[in-house]
Amino acid sequence: MTADDLPYASSLVFNAGVIRYRGEYVMVFRSDYGTDRDGYENRDQRFTGTAVGVARSKNGVDGWRFDPVPLIDSSELEKDSEVRRFYDPRIVEIDGRLLLCLAMDTRHGIRGAIGEVTEDLRGWRLLSASVPDNRNIVLFPEKIGGEYVRLERPMPVYSRGRDRFDVWLSRSPDLVYWGRSELLLGVEDVPWANNKIGPTAAPVKTEKGWLTLFHAVDRDETRGKNGWEKQWKKRYTAGLMLLDPEDPAKVLSVYREPLIAPDTPIETDAGFRENVIFPCGMIAEETGEIKIYYGASDACVCLATANIDDLLSLLL
Ligand code: BMA
């Protein structure tokens, strides 16, 4: 899916959460708009807004139908509003409630937000937002031990060093009050990541545990211009781990290599920031197929598929 597919103005469509909902697949995606490559590179134009849009499909692969207007649009916020934009949506359905996790840029830092969406996906309300700086909040798709559980990625710049960030886990009785926070996975536990890691898509429940993706970033000072920006030194890959079925704060296994690394032209040679794989959605089909929806190069939405037993065999 690219910006050209949308019924409203968009420059880049990426980082999409997907669930099966009422007989179809519902996707929530990020859309940045307001400039193009030429404007960005040669005329110092920047994006004027970010929206979260909704699309639906019968099979989760093609035939996506777009809602006519975005669910959330930064242009609708007051000019001097504390919140500047919402982005990188993930979606789950828990006990019949549609819950959206969002990154929320504010004038006082980046916050991780959780909202509840109406059944028709045309409206939403904010339930809670973390203190800054925190993003990549991802809810487990069901309560565990009677509590809501989320993954998150605080950004401890002073104590860990700039961009040396880890994945944390917190619990809540009501989606509003979050606590009992624990470190889940440190960046040093991911052999190929020399920069930061973060949560990606809602974990999938299997008999062996929670199949869980994360994103991992390596930085290489020799990388120069990649994509629209003057310099882009990072590479984003998707990693895979297995968490204990009863206590997801226990990591059972981490696959030692990237599960998805940028290697096709759409991931390495095209897009806003090249070499970015950023999954926000994962679905387990009854056939054993796993669908992974990821943003490629901050420019389009891609779908990768795998067999669940193959993925588990990497971890057991
Ligand atoms: C992260 C987020 C993502 C983005 C990624 C790569 O920090 O901003 O939205 O996909 O960087 O640019």
Side-chain angles (χ1 to χ4, degrees):
M1 185 184 291
T2 69
D4 293 341
D5 298 322
L6 264 59
Y8 40 86
S10 173
S11 313
L12 304 166
V13 169
F14 54 116
N15 300 358
V18 184
I19 51 165
R20 270 194 316 242
Y21 183 63
R22 299 193 174 169
E24 55 184 4
Y25 293 76
V26 170
M27 176 189 287
V28 285
F29 56 83
R30 168 174 174 177
S31 160
D32 287 7
Y33 58 86
T35 186
D36 57 13
R37 182 164 193 156
D38 178 51
Y40 194 92
E41 285 184 330
N42 304 320
R43 281 177 280 124
D44 229 8
Q45 287 174 357
R46 289 297 170 259
F47 298 101
T48 54
T50 296
V52 174
V54 177
R56 305 160 205 252
S57 154
K58 291 274 174 244
N59 60 12
V61 178
D62 52 20
W64 293 95
R65 305 173 328 272
F66 293 89
D67 285 11
V69 292
L71 171 63
I72 308 173
D73 191 337
S74 62
S75 70
E76 285 167 8
L77 297 166
E78 301 281 327
K79 244 194 155 12
D80 55 359
S81 147
E82 170 65 14
V83 181
R84 305 170 82 123
R85 61 173 184 160
F86 296 95
Y87 55 102
D88 293 353
R90 281 86 165 187
I91 189 165
V92 290
E93 182 189 1
I94 306 180
D95 300 336
R97 298 170 77 189
L98 279 180
L99 301 166
L100 201 58
C101 301
L102 297 155
M104 174 170 136
D105 286 356
T106 76
R107 292 184 189 278
H108 294 85
I110 300 169
R111 306 176 67 181
I114 297 175
E116 180 163 4
V117 187
T118 56
E119 289 177 17
D120 60 2
L121 286 113
R122 299 280 163 98
W124 77 290
R125 70 189 173 106
L126 190 64
L127 298 176
S128 63
S130 72
V131 289
D133 276 343
N134 192 348
R135 75 172 159 204
N136 297 305
I137 281 182
V138 171
L139 281 165
F140 281 72
E142 61 183 68
K143 288 181 171 176
I144 305 170
E147 292 174 305
Y148 296 96
V149 183
R150 75 183 186 190
L151 303 175
E152 58 196 319
R153 213 285 305 283
M155 295 179 252
V157 282
Y158 284 112
S159 48
R160 287 284 278 159
R162 198 179 148 71
D163 263 19
R164 196 146 177 88
F165 307 143
D166 317 296
V167 176
W168 287 68
L169 181 145
S170 303
R171 304 167 197 262
S172 170
D174 57 6
L175 294 167
V176 176
Y177 295 93
W178 289 92
R180 305 223 319 282
S181 303
E182 291 178 65
L183 175 69
L184 183 77
L185 189 71
V187 62
E188 65 278 7
D189 299 325
V190 178
W192 72 95
N194 66 6
N195 190 253
K196 61 182 174 180
I197 58 172
T200 56
V204 159
K205 194 179 191 177
T206 75
E207 282 174 12
K208 309 283 183 196
W210 291 99
L211 191 66
T212 306
L213 294 167
F214 57 89
H215 70 255
V217 182
D218 58 84
R219 194 182 158 104
D220 180 344
E221 292 310 321
T222 67
R223 289 184 193 131
K225 185 160 173 67
N226 291 279
W228 300 16
E229 299 208 275
K230 283 203 181 76
Q231 286 197 331
W232 176 243
K233 296 177 183 293
K234 294 177 190 171
R235 179 181 76 135
Y236 278 64
T237 56
L240 187 69
M241 63 181 161
L242 192 67
L243 308 180
D244 187 276
E246 269 91 51
D247 180 6
K250 278 192 205 139
V251 178
L252 300 181
S253 166
V254 180
Y255 180 47
R256 308 296 292 167
E257 289 171 44
L259 178 70
I260 311 176
D263 62 1
T264 66
I266 205 167
E267 297 158 350
T268 56
D269 301 330
F272 175 63
R273 286 171 170 170
E274 291 164 358
N275 294 311
V276 174
I277 301 283
F278 201 90
C280 289
M282 176 161 62
I283 288 179
E285 303 289 2
E286 273 149 26
T287 58
E289 183 186 73
I290 298 280
K291 289 189 169 75
I292 298 171
Y293 297 87
Y294 63 96
S297 292
D298 287 0
C300 61
V301 179
C302 294
L303 167 62
T305 60
N307 179 279
I308 192 164
D309 294 328
D310 291 343
L311 294 184
L312 287 171
S313 73
L314 301 173
L315 296 162
L316 297 171

